[in-house]
Amino acid sequence: MASYLAKRIGLAIPTALGVLVVIFLLMRAIPGDPARLMLGERASPEQVEALREQMGLNDPLYVQFAVFMGDLLRGDLGTSLQSRQPVAAELMARYPATVELAIFAMLLASTLGILAGVVSAVWRNSILDYGVMAGALVGVSMPIFWLGLVLMMFFSVRLHWFPAGGRLDARMVWDGATQFVVLESLVRGQWTTFVTGLRHLVLPGVALATIPLSTIARITRSSMLEVLNLDYIRTARAKGLSGWKVNFKHALKNALLPVVTIIGLQVGLLLGGAVLTETIFSWPGIGRFIVLAIGSRDYPVVQGGIALITLAMILVNLLVDVLYTFIDPRIRYQ
Protein backbone atom coordinates (compact mmCIF):
# COMPACT_ATOMS: atom_id res chain seq x y z
CA MET A 1 0.00 0.00 0.00
CA ALA A 2 2.82 2.42 0.89
CA SER A 3 4.52 1.98 -2.49
CA TYR A 4 1.17 2.43 -4.26
CA LEU A 5 0.47 5.66 -2.37
CA ALA A 6 3.97 6.96 -3.17
CA LYS A 7 3.39 6.17 -6.86
CA ARG A 8 0.02 7.95 -6.85
CA ILE A 9 1.49 11.01 -5.17
CA GLY A 10 4.30 11.00 -7.74
CA LEU A 11 1.73 10.98 -10.56
CA ALA A 12 -0.27 13.75 -8.88
CA ILE A 13 2.65 16.20 -9.05
CA PRO A 14 2.71 16.59 -12.89
CA THR A 15 -1.10 16.73 -12.88
CA ALA A 16 -1.11 19.62 -10.42
CA LEU A 17 1.73 21.31 -12.32
CA GLY A 18 -0.20 21.06 -15.59
CA VAL A 19 -3.30 22.62 -14.00
CA LEU A 20 -1.24 25.49 -12.59
CA VAL A 21 0.41 26.17 -15.97
CA VAL A 22 -2.97 26.31 -17.73
CA ILE A 23 -4.49 28.61 -15.11
CA PHE A 24 -1.40 30.84 -15.15
CA LEU A 25 -1.54 31.26 -18.95
CA LEU A 26 -5.32 31.72 -19.05
CA MET A 27 -5.16 34.51 -16.48
CA ARG A 28 -2.54 36.33 -18.55
CA ALA A 29 -4.67 35.89 -21.68
CA ILE A 30 -7.70 37.65 -20.15
CA PRO A 31 -7.95 41.24 -21.45
CA GLY A 32 -7.37 43.98 -18.88
CA ASP A 33 -4.51 45.43 -16.88
CA PRO A 34 -4.46 44.75 -13.11
CA ALA A 35 -2.39 47.89 -12.51
CA ARG A 36 -4.90 50.04 -14.39
CA LEU A 37 -7.81 48.43 -12.49
CA MET A 38 -6.09 49.11 -9.16
CA LEU A 39 -5.20 52.76 -9.90
CA GLY A 40 -8.37 53.71 -11.75
CA GLU A 41 -8.94 55.50 -15.03
CA ARG A 42 -7.52 58.81 -13.79
CA ALA A 43 -4.03 57.40 -13.17
CA SER A 44 -1.29 58.58 -15.51
CA PRO A 45 0.54 56.12 -17.81
CA GLU A 46 3.71 56.68 -15.73
CA GLN A 47 1.93 55.66 -12.53
CA VAL A 48 0.48 52.55 -14.20
CA GLU A 49 3.88 51.59 -15.61
CA ALA A 50 5.54 52.06 -12.23
CA LEU A 51 2.99 49.81 -10.54
CA ARG A 52 3.35 47.16 -13.26
CA GLU A 53 7.11 47.17 -12.67
CA GLN A 54 6.59 46.92 -8.91
CA MET A 55 4.17 43.97 -9.32
CA GLY A 56 6.51 42.16 -11.71
CA LEU A 57 4.00 42.25 -14.56
CA ASN A 58 6.63 43.51 -17.01
CA ASP A 59 8.77 40.41 -16.51
CA PRO A 60 8.63 37.62 -19.13
CA LEU A 61 5.94 34.97 -18.47
CA TYR A 62 8.46 32.25 -17.63
CA VAL A 63 10.02 34.53 -15.00
CA GLN A 64 6.60 35.30 -13.48
CA PHE A 65 5.74 31.58 -13.43
CA ALA A 66 9.10 30.68 -11.87
CA VAL A 67 8.54 33.28 -9.14
CA PHE A 68 5.02 31.93 -8.53
CA MET A 69 6.21 28.31 -8.30
CA GLY A 70 9.11 29.26 -6.03
CA ASP A 71 6.74 31.03 -3.64
CA LEU A 72 4.27 28.13 -3.84
CA LEU A 73 6.93 25.57 -2.89
CA ARG A 74 7.77 27.70 0.16
CA GLY A 75 4.07 27.71 1.11
CA ASP A 76 3.67 31.36 0.09
CA LEU A 77 0.72 32.01 -2.24
CA GLY A 78 1.64 35.65 -2.63
CA THR A 79 -0.20 38.85 -1.77
CA SER A 80 -3.60 39.85 -3.09
CA LEU A 81 -3.34 42.70 -5.60
CA GLN A 82 -6.61 44.16 -4.35
CA SER A 83 -6.60 43.76 -0.57
CA ARG A 84 -2.79 43.67 -0.10
CA GLN A 85 -3.35 40.77 2.33
CA PRO A 86 -1.60 37.36 2.15
CA VAL A 87 -3.52 35.13 -0.27
CA ALA A 88 -3.15 32.07 1.98
CA ALA A 89 -4.85 33.88 4.88
CA GLU A 90 -7.61 35.18 2.58
CA LEU A 91 -8.29 31.70 1.17
CA MET A 92 -8.20 29.88 4.52
CA ALA A 93 -10.69 32.39 5.95
CA ARG A 94 -13.18 31.41 3.21
CA TYR A 95 -12.33 27.75 2.63
CA PRO A 96 -14.38 26.42 5.60
CA ALA A 97 -17.54 27.93 4.07
CA THR A 98 -16.91 26.06 0.81
CA VAL A 99 -16.06 22.81 2.61
CA GLU A 100 -19.19 23.03 4.77
CA LEU A 101 -21.36 23.62 1.70
CA ALA A 102 -19.69 20.75 -0.19
CA ILE A 103 -20.09 18.35 2.78
CA PHE A 104 -23.79 19.21 3.09
CA ALA A 105 -24.35 18.77 -0.66
CA MET A 106 -22.37 15.51 -0.78
CA LEU A 107 -24.25 14.01 2.20
CA LEU A 108 -27.54 14.97 0.57
CA ALA A 109 -26.51 13.62 -2.84
CA SER A 110 -25.01 10.36 -1.51
CA THR A 111 -27.86 9.49 0.87
CA LEU A 112 -30.73 10.23 -1.50
CA GLY A 113 -28.85 9.04 -4.61
CA ILE A 114 -27.97 5.60 -3.18
CA LEU A 115 -31.48 5.17 -1.73
CA ALA A 116 -33.11 6.15 -5.04
CA GLY A 117 -30.81 3.82 -7.00
CA VAL A 118 -31.54 0.85 -4.73
CA VAL A 119 -35.30 1.46 -4.84
CA SER A 120 -35.19 1.81 -8.63
CA ALA A 121 -33.21 -1.44 -9.05
CA VAL A 122 -35.30 -3.52 -6.62
CA TRP A 123 -38.57 -2.39 -8.28
CA ARG A 124 -37.17 -2.52 -11.81
CA ASN A 125 -39.51 -1.55 -14.69
CA SER A 126 -42.13 -0.27 -12.25
CA ILE A 127 -43.65 3.22 -12.19
CA LEU A 128 -41.30 3.97 -9.28
CA ASP A 129 -38.29 2.97 -11.39
CA TYR A 130 -39.40 5.10 -14.35
CA GLY A 131 -40.08 8.05 -12.02
CA VAL A 132 -36.62 7.83 -10.40
CA MET A 133 -34.82 7.56 -13.74
CA ALA A 134 -36.85 10.41 -15.26
CA GLY A 135 -36.05 12.57 -12.23
CA ALA A 136 -32.35 11.64 -12.51
CA LEU A 137 -32.34 12.60 -16.20
CA VAL A 138 -33.93 15.97 -15.44
CA GLY A 139 -31.59 16.56 -12.51
CA VAL A 140 -28.41 15.85 -14.45
CA SER A 141 -29.59 18.05 -17.35
CA MET A 142 -30.32 21.23 -15.38
CA PRO A 143 -27.59 23.91 -15.22
CA ILE A 144 -26.69 24.79 -11.64
CA PHE A 145 -27.07 28.54 -12.10
CA TRP A 146 -30.58 28.16 -13.56
CA LEU A 147 -31.68 25.72 -10.84
CA GLY A 148 -30.26 28.02 -8.16
CA LEU A 149 -32.25 30.99 -9.45
CA VAL A 150 -35.45 28.90 -9.65
CA LEU A 151 -34.99 27.63 -6.07
CA MET A 152 -34.33 31.17 -4.87
CA MET A 153 -37.38 32.63 -6.62
CA PHE A 154 -39.76 29.89 -5.42
CA PHE A 155 -38.63 28.97 -1.89
CA SER A 156 -37.19 32.32 -0.82
CA VAL A 157 -38.99 35.12 -2.69
CA ARG A 158 -42.46 33.51 -2.95
CA LEU A 159 -42.73 31.12 0.02
CA HIS A 160 -40.18 32.77 2.38
CA TRP A 161 -39.13 29.34 3.66
CA PHE A 162 -35.37 29.81 3.30
CA PRO A 163 -33.08 32.85 3.05
CA ALA A 164 -31.87 33.84 -0.41
CA GLY A 165 -28.18 34.21 0.43
CA GLY A 166 -25.40 34.50 2.96
CA ARG A 167 -24.42 32.13 5.81
CA LEU A 168 -26.32 33.82 8.68
CA ASP A 169 -28.91 36.55 9.15
CA ALA A 170 -27.51 40.06 8.72
CA ARG A 171 -27.94 40.91 12.44
CA MET A 172 -26.20 37.75 13.70
CA VAL A 173 -22.50 37.82 14.56
CA TRP A 174 -20.48 34.59 14.46
CA ASP A 175 -17.91 34.42 17.28
CA GLY A 176 -16.78 30.80 16.82
CA ALA A 177 -13.18 29.60 16.80
CA THR A 178 -13.56 28.31 13.24
CA GLN A 179 -15.55 29.35 10.16
CA PHE A 180 -17.51 26.06 10.23
CA VAL A 181 -20.69 27.78 11.40
CA VAL A 182 -23.12 24.85 11.33
CA LEU A 183 -20.70 22.18 12.55
CA GLU A 184 -19.23 24.25 15.39
CA SER A 185 -22.57 25.66 16.57
CA LEU A 186 -23.91 22.06 16.67
CA VAL A 187 -20.96 20.90 18.80
CA ARG A 188 -21.26 23.91 21.12
CA GLY A 189 -25.04 23.54 21.46
CA GLN A 190 -25.81 27.01 20.02
CA TRP A 191 -29.14 25.92 18.57
CA THR A 192 -30.33 29.30 17.26
CA THR A 193 -27.12 29.71 15.26
CA PHE A 194 -27.26 26.07 14.14
CA VAL A 195 -30.84 26.31 12.84
CA THR A 196 -30.16 29.65 11.14
CA GLY A 197 -26.97 28.36 9.52
CA LEU A 198 -28.73 25.17 8.40
CA ARG A 199 -31.57 27.17 6.80
CA HIS A 200 -29.00 29.18 4.85
CA LEU A 201 -27.36 25.93 3.69
CA VAL A 202 -30.51 24.35 2.25
CA LEU A 203 -30.98 26.20 -1.06
CA PRO A 204 -27.31 26.35 -2.18
CA GLY A 205 -26.84 22.78 -0.91
CA VAL A 206 -29.81 21.46 -2.92
CA ALA A 207 -28.67 23.33 -6.05
CA LEU A 208 -25.15 21.95 -5.70
CA ALA A 209 -26.31 18.40 -4.91
CA THR A 210 -28.77 17.92 -7.78
CA ILE A 211 -26.33 16.79 -10.48
CA PRO A 212 -24.26 14.48 -8.19
CA LEU A 213 -27.49 13.02 -6.77
CA SER A 214 -28.77 12.15 -10.23
CA THR A 215 -25.45 10.62 -11.27
CA ILE A 216 -25.13 8.55 -8.07
CA ALA A 217 -28.72 7.28 -8.44
CA ARG A 218 -28.09 6.07 -12.00
CA ILE A 219 -24.77 4.39 -11.13
CA THR A 220 -26.26 2.74 -8.02
CA ARG A 221 -29.18 1.37 -10.04
CA SER A 222 -26.89 -0.14 -12.70
CA SER A 223 -24.53 -1.64 -10.13
CA MET A 224 -27.39 -3.05 -8.04
CA LEU A 225 -29.05 -4.67 -11.09
CA GLU A 226 -25.78 -6.42 -11.90
CA VAL A 227 -25.30 -7.69 -8.34
CA LEU A 228 -28.95 -8.75 -7.89
CA ASN A 229 -28.54 -11.25 -10.76
CA LEU A 230 -25.57 -13.03 -9.17
CA ASP A 231 -25.85 -16.55 -7.78
CA TYR A 232 -25.13 -15.70 -4.13
CA ILE A 233 -28.10 -13.30 -4.08
CA ARG A 234 -30.40 -16.02 -5.41
CA THR A 235 -28.97 -18.37 -2.77
CA ALA A 236 -29.64 -15.83 -0.04
CA ARG A 237 -33.23 -15.49 -1.19
CA ALA A 238 -33.61 -19.29 -1.36
CA LYS A 239 -32.50 -19.50 2.28
CA GLY A 240 -35.48 -17.33 3.19
CA LEU A 241 -33.65 -14.12 4.12
CA SER A 242 -35.83 -11.03 4.17
CA GLY A 243 -35.81 -8.72 1.16
CA TRP A 244 -34.38 -5.88 3.26
CA LYS A 245 -31.42 -8.02 4.39
CA VAL A 246 -30.73 -9.33 0.87
CA ASN A 247 -30.93 -5.93 -0.81
CA PHE A 248 -29.20 -3.68 1.75
CA LYS A 249 -26.84 -6.04 3.59
CA HIS A 250 -25.66 -8.42 0.86
CA ALA A 251 -26.30 -6.74 -2.51
CA LEU A 252 -25.69 -3.06 -1.69
CA LYS A 253 -22.31 -3.70 -0.03
CA ASN A 254 -20.89 -5.27 -3.21
CA ALA A 255 -22.63 -2.73 -5.46
CA LEU A 256 -21.02 0.22 -3.67
CA LEU A 257 -17.56 -0.04 -5.26
CA PRO A 258 -18.34 1.91 -8.49
CA VAL A 259 -20.59 4.21 -6.48
CA VAL A 260 -17.68 5.18 -4.20
CA THR A 261 -15.61 5.98 -7.30
CA ILE A 262 -18.34 8.27 -8.61
CA ILE A 263 -18.76 9.94 -5.21
CA GLY A 264 -15.03 10.69 -5.15
CA LEU A 265 -15.19 12.25 -8.61
CA GLN A 266 -18.32 14.19 -7.69
CA VAL A 267 -16.55 15.79 -4.71
CA GLY A 268 -14.15 17.41 -7.17
CA LEU A 269 -17.05 18.53 -9.35
CA LEU A 270 -18.80 19.94 -6.27
CA LEU A 271 -15.82 22.16 -5.54
CA GLY A 272 -15.89 23.36 -9.15
CA GLY A 273 -19.67 23.76 -9.15
CA ALA A 274 -19.45 25.72 -5.91
CA VAL A 275 -17.99 28.62 -7.90
CA LEU A 276 -21.38 29.20 -9.60
CA THR A 277 -23.51 28.28 -6.58
CA GLU A 278 -21.62 30.57 -4.21
CA THR A 279 -21.92 33.45 -6.66
CA ILE A 280 -25.69 33.00 -7.05
CA PHE A 281 -26.38 32.67 -3.31
CA SER A 282 -23.74 35.20 -2.15
CA TRP A 283 -22.08 32.39 -0.21
CA PRO A 284 -18.82 33.75 1.28
CA GLY A 285 -16.68 30.83 0.15
CA ILE A 286 -13.60 30.35 -1.95
CA GLY A 287 -15.56 29.96 -5.23
CA ARG A 288 -17.20 33.39 -5.01
CA PHE A 289 -13.85 34.84 -3.92
CA ILE A 290 -12.16 33.44 -7.05
CA VAL A 291 -14.91 34.82 -9.33
CA LEU A 292 -14.47 38.31 -7.84
CA ALA A 293 -10.68 37.95 -8.19
CA ILE A 294 -11.01 37.04 -11.88
CA GLY A 295 -13.04 40.21 -12.46
CA SER A 296 -10.33 42.35 -10.85
CA ARG A 297 -7.43 40.42 -12.50
CA ASP A 298 -6.12 39.47 -9.06
CA TYR A 299 -3.69 36.83 -10.36
CA PRO A 300 -2.29 35.58 -7.01
CA VAL A 301 -5.78 34.91 -5.60
CA VAL A 302 -6.95 32.98 -8.67
CA GLN A 303 -3.76 30.93 -8.91
CA GLY A 304 -3.71 30.21 -5.18
CA GLY A 305 -7.41 29.31 -5.11
CA ILE A 306 -7.11 26.93 -8.06
CA ALA A 307 -4.01 25.34 -6.49
CA LEU A 308 -5.95 24.76 -3.26
CA ILE A 309 -8.92 23.20 -5.10
CA THR A 310 -6.60 21.01 -7.20
CA LEU A 311 -4.83 19.74 -4.08
CA ALA A 312 -8.19 18.95 -2.45
CA MET A 313 -9.35 16.99 -5.53
CA ILE A 314 -6.11 14.96 -5.62
CA LEU A 315 -6.41 14.13 -1.91
CA VAL A 316 -10.06 13.10 -2.27
CA ASN A 317 -9.28 10.75 -5.17
CA LEU A 318 -6.41 9.25 -3.20
CA LEU A 319 -8.73 8.73 -0.23
CA VAL A 320 -11.25 6.98 -2.51
CA ASP A 321 -8.57 4.52 -3.67
CA VAL A 322 -7.73 3.73 -0.04
CA LEU A 323 -11.41 3.21 0.79
CA TYR A 324 -11.62 0.46 -1.85
CA THR A 325 -9.65 -1.91 0.41
CA PHE A 326 -12.12 -1.40 3.25
CA ILE A 327 -15.20 -1.94 1.07
CA ASP A 328 -13.76 -4.97 -0.74
CA PRO A 329 -10.94 -6.71 1.23
CA ARG A 330 -10.08 -8.76 -1.89
CA ILE A 331 -8.47 -5.65 -3.44
CA ARG A 332 -4.72 -5.48 -2.90
CA TYR A 333 -2.48 -2.65 -4.16
CA GLN A 334 1.02 -3.38 -5.35
Side-chain angles (χ1 to χ4, degrees):
M1 173 65 83
S3 61
Y4 174 78
L5 291 179
K7 191 182 300 181
R8 283 295 309 272
I9 293 172
L11 289 173
I13 292 174
T15 304
L17 183 62
V19 172
L20 292 176
V21 169
V22 171
I23 295 301
F24 180 87
L25 295 177
L26 284 178
M27 282 302 298
R28 267 65 182 178
I30 296 175
D33 187 346
R36 171 63 69 183
L37 287 174
M38 291 176 66
L39 294 175
E41 293 299 328
R42 295 185 177 180
S44 65
E46 291 76 15
Q47 289 174 313
V48 174
E49 190 61 23
L51 184 57
R52 285 185 58 83
E53 188 68 28
Q54 179 186 345
M55 295 163 62
L57 297 176
N58 288 333
D59 295 334
L61 285 180
Y62 67 87
V63 174
Q64 295 183 43
F65 185 72
V67 171
F68 166 65
M69 288 302 299
D71 292 341
L72 185 62
L73 291 175
R74 291 194 299 271
D76 181 7
L77 297 179
T79 303
S80 169
L81 302 181
Q82 293 296 315
S83 67
R84 294 295 184 183
Q85 298 297 316
V87 172
E90 295 263 27
L91 292 176
M92 293 315 297
R94 294 166 174 79
Y95 204 56
T98 297
V99 172
E100 196 165 64
L101 177 60
I103 290 175
F104 179 82
M106 200 68 249
L107 288 175
L108 192 67
S110 301
T111 306
L112 296 181
I114 291 175
L115 184 62
V118 171
V119 168
S120 183
V122 172
W123 283 280
R124 184 184 183 184
N125 295 330
S126 65
I127 295 178
L128 198 58
D129 179 24
Y130 296 142
V132 169
M133 287 301 99
L137 182 61
V138 172
V140 82
S141 305
M142 283 190 295
I144 290 182
F145 70 91
W146 181 83
L147 177 63
L149 292 174
V150 170
L151 290 174
M152 188 186 297
M153 288 296 298
F154 191 71
F155 290 103
S156 180
V157 177
R158 285 184 177 273
L159 299 178
H160 303 289
W161 286 0
F162 302 104
R167 295 189 76 186
L168 288 171
D169 293 340
R171 288 173 294 181
M172 294 184 72
V173 178
W174 172 244
D175 59 350
T178 70
Q179 291 302 313
F180 292 96
V181 175
V182 175
L183 296 177
E184 185 176 338
S185 61
L186 175 64
V187 173
R188 294 168 62 176
Q190 297 178 338
W191 302 116
T192 302
T193 306
F194 171 71
V195 172
T196 304
L198 196 60
R199 291 184 69 243
H200 281 76
L201 259 178
V202 170
L203 292 187
V206 170
L208 194 58
T210 302
I211 293 178
L213 190 156
S214 305
T215 306
I216 292 170
R218 292 168 67 91
I219 296 296
T220 304
R221 179 182 182 273
S222 301
S223 185
M224 277 290 292
L225 286 176
E226 187 176 335
V227 172
L228 288 174
N229 289 324
L230 296 179
D231 290 339
Y232 80 94
I233 293 295
R234 284 194 285 268
T235 304
R237 286 178 177 148
K239 288 181 178 179
L241 294 180
S242 65
W244 182 89
K245 187 171 287 187
V246 170
N247 294 326
F248 285 91
K249 185 176 180 181
H250 295 280
L252 180 59
K253 182 180 178 181
N254 289 319
L256 275 181
L257 206 56
V259 179
V260 170
T261 305
I262 292 299
I263 289 176
L265 295 174
Q266 294 299 319
V267 170
L269 295 178
L270 280 184
L271 293 173
V275 173
L276 290 175
T277 307
E278 290 179 1
T279 304
I280 294 169
F281 290 97
S282 300
W283 189 261
I286 193 173
R288 181 166 175 262
F289 188 49
I290 291 176
V291 170
L292 295 176
I294 292 174
S296 59
R297 312 296 188 271
D298 199 338
Y299 298 153
V301 169
V302 178
Q303 291 163 177
I306 298 297
L308 195 60
I309 291 176
T310 303
L311 179 63
M313 292 176 67
I314 291 173
L315 289 177
V316 168
N317 282 285
L318 194 61
L319 180 63
V320 169
D321 285 348
V322 174
L323 282 177
Y324 284 168
T325 58
F326 292 95
I327 296 173
D328 190 347
R330 295 171 298 177
I331 295 178
R332 291 286 184 271
Y333 293 118
Q334 300 296 325

